[in-house]
Amino acid sequence: MVLFTSCASTRGASSTGRAAGLHPDEVFTVTEADIARETLQINRALKGQWTYSGPSVDVSGKNVLAGIGKPIAKGKLKKKLKNAYKTLRLDKVKPQFSFDEDGTCAINLLGVNLKGTYNYNPSQEKVTFKWHGIPLTARLKRDGKKKLHLTFDADKLLKLFSLASKVSDSSALKALSFLMDNYDDVMVGFELKK
């Protein structure tokens, strides 16, 4: 018992002695260079051109869709989304997203090229795009090295389409409007391949 107490107090003193020599600013200082290095490393993982290969659906929230019915709901919604995308001819003129290490990006959607910037946070699986000063947030999940799932809240996906072009065709708007009317906890978008 005495030996244990003696070791414990020695360990405590030694630990305190080492910590006393360190200043908190020395340990936790993060410079702009550190942030730039980390951002560059994160952006390298996304670097390249990613092409549409199909619709992507993600269910969030705690409603009935997120429970037992989640796989069934996702499958049905994915099928509806695929039909909507066919109306928009995305199966013919495939959207492309390009990411560069420096935080710039480009999208080719509905024959329109948009150039902007992006900020990716892999721990939150969140990406924020900025085109013409307009921010647009999405979920970005990596699926191996050659596949991404880029999904948006339904209203933000419609905003993306409206940024890319004036989707005035009523059948195209109708094809996508079902998203806004029926699904709250669902994110929809694109499966992309390198």
Side-chain angles (χ1 to χ4, degrees):
M1 180 76 156
V2 174
L3 181 62
F4 175 74
T5 306
S6 168
C7 288
S9 64
T10 305
R11 198 176 310 143
S14 156
S15 171
T16 307
R18 277 190 302 233
L22 292 176
H23 190 275
D25 288 342
E26 292 174 25
V27 177
F28 298 109
T29 300
V30 177
T31 65
E32 287 184 27
D34 294 331
I35 294 169
R37 239 187 334 273
E38 180 70 19
T39 301
L40 193 63
Q41 187 175 359
I42 289 168
N43 291 352
R44 277 191 188 127
L46 292 181
K47 183 182 176 183
Q49 186 167 312
W50 300 83
T51 303
Y52 170 81
S53 65
S56 185
V57 175
D58 197 12
V59 178
S60 61
K62 295 180 180 171
N63 66 11
V64 74
L65 288 177
I68 293 173
K70 182 176 177 177
I72 296 166
K74 279 178 74 170
K76 287 185 175 187
L77 185 54
K78 199 170 183 178
K79 189 174 181 180
K80 274 185 127 177
L81 192 59
K82 189 173 187 174
N83 290 335
Y85 284 175
K86 277 187 179 180
T87 303
L88 292 168
R89 301 181 42 85
L90 295 188
D91 56 330
K92 305 283 186 222
V93 184
K94 297 182 178 195
Q96 293 181 333
F97 289 79
S98 296
F99 298 96
D100 288 322
E101 289 178 16
D102 64 359
T104 58
C105 64
I107 177 176
N108 185 322
L109 180 64
L110 301 174
V112 175
N113 290 310
L114 294 170
K115 293 187 180 193
T117 60
Y118 73 97
N119 184 354
Y120 176 51
N121 183 331
S123 63
Q124 295 180 349
E125 295 181 331
K126 181 178 167 184
V127 63
T128 302
F129 296 102
K130 207 175 251 190
W131 289 292
H132 304 290
I134 300 170
L136 196 62
T137 303
R139 181 177 287 156
L140 193 148
K141 288 185 181 180
R142 292 182 55 87
D143 187 357
K145 292 183 179 181
K146 302 275 184 187
K147 193 190 287 186
L148 296 176
H149 293 274
L150 180 62
T151 54
F152 301 83
D153 289 326
D155 61 330
K156 290 186 178 162
L157 180 65
L158 290 172
K159 187 175 183 178
L160 176 62
F161 279 112
S162 68
L163 275 174
S165 107
K166 300 295 178 201
V167 183
S168 58
D169 179 13
S170 62
S171 63
L173 284 174
K174 190 175 179 183
L176 287 171
S177 67
F178 77 93
L179 296 170
M180 299 278 293
D181 299 335
N182 301 310
Y183 303 97
D184 290 332
D185 297 328
V186 175
M187 297 188 76
V188 289
F190 314 103
E191 182 179 294
L192 304 167
K193 288 186 179 174
K194 207 167 200 179

